[in-house]
Amino acid sequence: MRTVYSGLVDESLIGQTVTLFGWAHRRRDHGGVIFIDLRDREGIVQVVCDPDRPDVFATADKCRNEFCLKVVGLVRARPDGTKNDNLISGGVEVLCQELEILNPSMTPPFHLDDENLSETTRLTYCVLDLRRPQMQKNLRLRYRTAMAFRKYLDSKGFIDIETPMLTRSTPEGARDYLVPSRVQDGCFYALPQSPQLFKQLLMMAGFDRYYQIVKCFRDEDLRADRQPEFTQVDIETSFLSMDEIRAIMEDLVRTVFKEVLDVDLGTYPVMSYDEAMAKYGSDKPDLRVNLQLVEVTDIVAESQFKVFSGVKSLHNGMVVALRVPGAASMPRSEIDAYTEYVKIYGAKGLAYIKVNELARGREGLQSPIVKNLSDDELNAILERTGAQDGDVIFFGADKAKIVWDSLGALRLKIGHSEFGKKTGLFTPGWRPLWVVNFPMFEYAEEDQRWVSCHHPFTCPVDGDEDKLVTDPEHCYAKAYDMVLNGWEIGGGSVRIHREDVQEKVFEALKIGPEERRQKFGFLLDALQFGAPPHGGIAFGLDRIATMMCGADSIRDVIAFPKTQRAQCLLTQAPSPVDEKQLRELHIRLRNEPKKDHDIAGQ
């Protein structure tokens, strides 16, 4: 039996005999003495095998990287000058008395210290990748984070209740993963995009404080912070106002960060959705970037510069400025690169003004657009943006979404650049906030109708109930997102608990009576039996763990992740199934699958 983990062997064990299990991280032959760095989940300890014990030495001579070993040995202090202060075990070594190869290993495709592995290699050899110290550290931190969530919620009277994985397909924004039923011909289950409806039903059932750390599934296009299956800390509570819910959730996350990282997040500022979009071009602003947008539509509404004045003919057209202090030193090539960058977000270009010397008026400004702007317009722009000598003012002019997306992205790109960090446009640290009062609806151009910004069970702010059908564009929701360093780490809302309000929302969404009954009849029925006021939130455990680890992708905090094509390179999933299985499910494929199913093909 193991007496201690390898990585925890320290000076307190000097003189004791220990039994260790682990893997040979490295084997080194130093002129007759063989050193093995033995690794387990806690770290590495140096094992010394000398010729005085021929059987041990002979076994050590056979060892190679990733051999699985048992070691029994005496803990002793390392000789002077050989200590490693970076390891817990760095002041000691284990003189090997017994060495057993529990299982040899073929030559690994990479060394676990290699920091330049391709993601394809890592995910193909996922088991070996998980042995890497960084992945071991990440997953243990994720575990501690999940436990911190559980401990806090348990202390506040929240009950962990499981909800079904096989449910019915309901419209919640993304495509469902469908599961065919063998016993119900032609019918399908759906894997849950979230437990949203079930946790509302639990509130109606009288479980006034619920939580669950739960898998959710969405069949959507993936990127660095998305997976087809992901983990939520799902929370719901009854009889609390929006402010009371947010107060508990804020304390929860503050407690988790303090316990896991010993970081004090402090108090959270609260910002409306409209303010966040106006100042930052994003509903999840990164407050570490010290740059803000300023709207100047009114100043240039009648300008001779048609790019600016032309926005009045657009629905929600606007002109917005972004002042970047000290950026006048940027070469033209860098500005041209930013122009190409904003085109990714639909912008047609990027107008700018370099402020070389304010005191010289128009002559102190450098830009192709200055000649098209009057002195009054220029002075008003300079005053509103607070421009100083040496600044650059960038402009976006288009529909609101394009302007916000492009300038919001440009704000982050400049702020996170070397220039931004050198000039104080970026302040390191943790910057949380709440974004509240989101719009109830957004207009889907392709469908020519209003759709829910969050989900159709979100409660409107008090006083907006009567506008749900007549003026959906100006309805706001009791919805709130917790944002940290530009990432939305949690989102929630107060839910609709009155059937008449829920019916109005369905009417605004053009979900007719028959469709309502078909898709949500069970919820509408439950609302009639004294449903309590309730609300909740869901935190993205993957995202939070990623931020805590300082990782680039949530794949670095998930044990067996999928690629950006939703494929598992380890298990070769998804994969074809045989004809017998298909017949049992009453399924016939329209197109025959390829004979050579190459899941790793990129």
Side-chain angles (χ1 to χ4, degrees):
M1 179 181 292
R2 173 191 282 128
T3 55
V4 63
Y5 281 105
S6 301
L8 300 181
V9 178
D10 61 14
E11 284 89 341
S12 68
L13 297 174
I14 289 176
Q16 297 185 29
T17 298
V18 295
T19 300
L20 310 174
F21 295 90
W23 288 266
H25 190 67
R26 275 195 179 83
R27 172 192 170 279
R28 293 166 282 135
D29 190 336
H30 285 194
V33 176
I34 295 174
F35 294 91
I36 296 173
D37 291 337
L38 189 69
R39 185 193 71 248
D40 59 23
R41 76 178 201 185
E42 299 292 342
I44 290 175
V45 69
Q46 179 171 281
V47 177
V48 181
C49 305
D50 62 38
D52 295 343
R53 291 181 173 80
D55 54 338
V56 168
F57 192 80
T59 303
D61 192 47
K62 299 175 186 176
C63 287
R64 295 296 182 269
N65 288 357
E66 300 309 310
F67 274 36
C68 186
L69 306 175
K70 175 184 176 181
V71 172
V72 178
L74 179 69
V75 180
R76 67 184 187 186
R78 284 197 190 190
D80 291 340
T82 66
K83 292 185 177 182
N84 185 345
D85 294 332
N86 296 321
L87 299 175
I88 293 174
S89 62
V92 298
E93 60 189 14
V94 177
L95 178 61
C96 189
Q97 299 168 335
E98 299 176 28
L99 179 62
E100 180 181 352
I101 297 175
L102 300 176
N103 211 341
S105 170
M106 62 184 293
T107 302
F110 55 85
H111 194 275
L112 272 61
D113 285 341
D114 190 344
E115 297 294 333
N116 298 309
L117 297 175
S118 71
E119 188 167 71
T120 298
T121 299
R122 287 181 55 199
L123 298 188
T124 301
Y125 299 96
C126 191
V127 173
L128 289 178
D129 184 55
L130 286 170
R131 287 185 188 174
R132 294 193 306 124
Q134 186 60 52
M135 288 300 295
Q136 295 262 323
K137 177 182 175 183
N138 287 358
L139 290 182
R140 294 184 66 195
L141 184 144
R142 179 190 172 111
Y143 159 75
R144 286 167 39 222
T145 302
M147 286 302 299
F149 271 106
R150 289 190 183 279
K151 282 164 48 181
Y152 181 94
L153 291 167
D154 287 342
S155 74
K156 298 297 181 181
F158 287 82
I159 302 171
D160 184 353
I161 304 176
E162 293 183 359
T163 53
M165 282 293 163
L166 295 176
T167 182
R168 69 170 295 135
S169 180
T170 57
E172 294 189 43
R175 286 183 295 272
D176 286 325
Y177 277 101
L178 299 178
V179 180
S181 170
R182 181 181 58 83
V183 296
Q184 300 289 338
D185 188 2
C187 292
F188 293 80
Y189 299 103
L191 300 180
Q193 295 186 31
S194 78
Q196 180 61 49
L197 296 178
F198 286 106
K199 66 181 180 181
Q200 289 190 245
L201 292 171
L202 286 170
M203 296 301 103
M204 298 170 197
F207 296 96
D208 65 317
R209 292 198 171 195
Y210 142 94
Y211 86 96
Q212 186 182 188
I213 297 182
V214 60
K215 281 288 186 186
C216 302
F217 306 86
R218 293 178 186 172
D219 185 7
E220 60 185 351
D221 295 335
L222 307 179
R223 52 183 188 266
D225 60 343
R226 294 284 174 88
Q227 282 279 285
E229 50 182 323
F230 57 96
T231 305
Q232 286 185 180
V233 183
D234 202 52
I235 303 169
E236 197 80 3
T237 184
S238 299
F239 307 115
L240 295 179
S241 68
M242 181 173 74
D243 290 343
E244 290 168 332
I245 294 171
R246 286 198 295 105
I248 293 174
M249 298 306 118
E250 182 176 324
D251 188 52
L252 162 62
V253 174
R254 191 184 298 112
T255 300
V256 169
F257 269 76
K258 184 65 178 175
E259 183 171 326
V260 177
L261 293 184
D262 196 23
V263 165
D264 185 0
L265 293 181
T267 57
Y268 288 42
V270 180
M271 184 181 301
S272 72
Y273 168 88
D274 287 344
E275 181 184 357
M277 298 305 296
K279 290 183 177 179
Y280 305 103
S282 171
D283 60 2
K284 47 183 184 295
D286 187 346
L287 298 185
R288 296 174 301 171
V289 176
N290 305 310
L291 295 170
Q292 291 188 8
L293 310 182
V294 178
E295 186 172 358
V296 294
T297 311
D298 58 317
I299 295 174
V300 296
E302 304 301 327
S303 172
Q304 296 300 308
F305 187 40
K306 298 304 181 185
V307 172
F308 286 176
S309 59
V311 301
K312 60 189 175 186
S313 64
L314 302 174
H315 179 66
N316 287 333
M318 63 194 317
V319 182
V320 172
L322 173 65
R323 178 177 75 91
V324 182
S329 59
M330 283 183 182
R332 177 62 185 269
S333 59
E334 190 167 350
I335 293 177
D336 290 343
Y338 286 141
T339 300
E340 292 304 309
Y341 177 71
V342 297
K343 289 180 180 178
I344 297 172
Y345 300 90
K348 299 179 181 67
L350 184 65
Y352 71 91
I353 296 176
K354 282 189 176 184
V355 183
N356 295 323
E357 192 175 349
L358 279 174
R360 295 180 59 206
R362 177 183 293 272
E363 298 303 316
L365 306 177
Q366 181 183 347
S367 167
I369 72 169
V370 167
K371 62 180 180 293
N372 297 313
L373 297 172
S374 69
D375 288 343
D376 287 344
E377 290 166 343
L378 287 170
N379 290 334
I381 290 170
L382 295 171
E383 181 179 353
R384 185 170 295 181
T385 59
Q388 303 293 322
D389 290 351
D391 294 350
V392 167
I393 306 170
F394 293 106
F395 297 90
D398 212 310
K399 294 180 180 179
K401 183 179 185 333
I402 292 175
V403 171
W404 284 334
D405 286 353
S406 58
L407 287 189
L410 179 63
R411 171 184 171 270
L412 293 179
K413 188 169 184 64
I414 294 174
H416 285 271
S417 68
E418 285 303 314
F419 169 82
K421 292 174 180 176
K422 286 180 182 177
T423 57
L425 300 181
F426 180 86
T427 304
W430 298 97
R431 295 295 303 277
L433 81 154
W434 284 106
V435 178
V436 301
N437 291 355
F438 284 77
M440 277 285 290
F441 310 106
E442 58 187 354
Y443 195 72
E445 298 277 357
E446 62 277 11
D447 298 326
Q448 296 289 295
R449 67 183 185 91
W450 294 97
V451 296
S452 297
C453 284
H454 278 58
H455 53 66
F457 319 109
T458 304
C459 188
V461 299
D462 296 339
D464 277 7
E465 297 93 341
D466 293 336
K467 297 192 298 184
L468 290 171
V469 178
T470 60
D471 190 15
E473 184 175 6
H474 298 104
C475 287
Y476 288 86
K478 291 183 180 179
Y480 36 84
D481 282 358
M482 185 182 289
V483 177
L484 183 62
N485 290 3
W487 284 36
E488 176 203 330
I489 62 170
S493 67
V494 173
R495 324 302 186 188
I496 297 170
H497 70 282
R498 285 170 31 207
E499 186 185 15
D500 60 328
V501 177
Q502 186 66 72
E503 294 283 0
K504 286 182 180 179
V505 171
F506 286 149
E507 188 177 349
L509 295 173
K510 289 185 168 47
I511 299 176
E514 185 177 341
E515 187 179 359
R516 297 174 205 176
R517 294 305 309 173
Q518 180 187 4
K519 293 182 175 177
F520 307 110
F522 60 95
L523 177 69
L524 297 175
D525 289 342
L527 286 174
Q528 299 178 72
F529 293 101
H534 59 284
I537 196 168
F539 292 103
L541 181 62
D542 308 304
R543 290 187 182 185
I544 291 173
T546 301
M547 297 184 75
M548 286 181 160
C549 293
D552 295 325
S553 164
I554 64 172
R555 288 189 286 277
D556 291 335
V557 298
I558 296 174
F560 302 103
K562 307 288 192 296
T563 68
Q564 286 190 312
R565 297 179 62 193
Q567 298 170 320
C568 176
L569 301 185
L570 176 71
T571 64
Q572 302 286 289
S575 62
V577 296
D578 61 40
E579 185 61 30
K580 179 182 177 183
Q581 288 176 286
L582 292 175
R583 283 198 306 270
E584 288 177 340
L585 294 169
H586 317 289
I587 290 176
R588 177 180 298 159
L589 300 180
R590 287 188 174 184
N591 299 313
E592 289 297 319
K594 294 179 181 179
K595 290 183 179 180
D596 296 323
H597 181 70
D598 180 14
I599 192 171
Q602 299 295 313

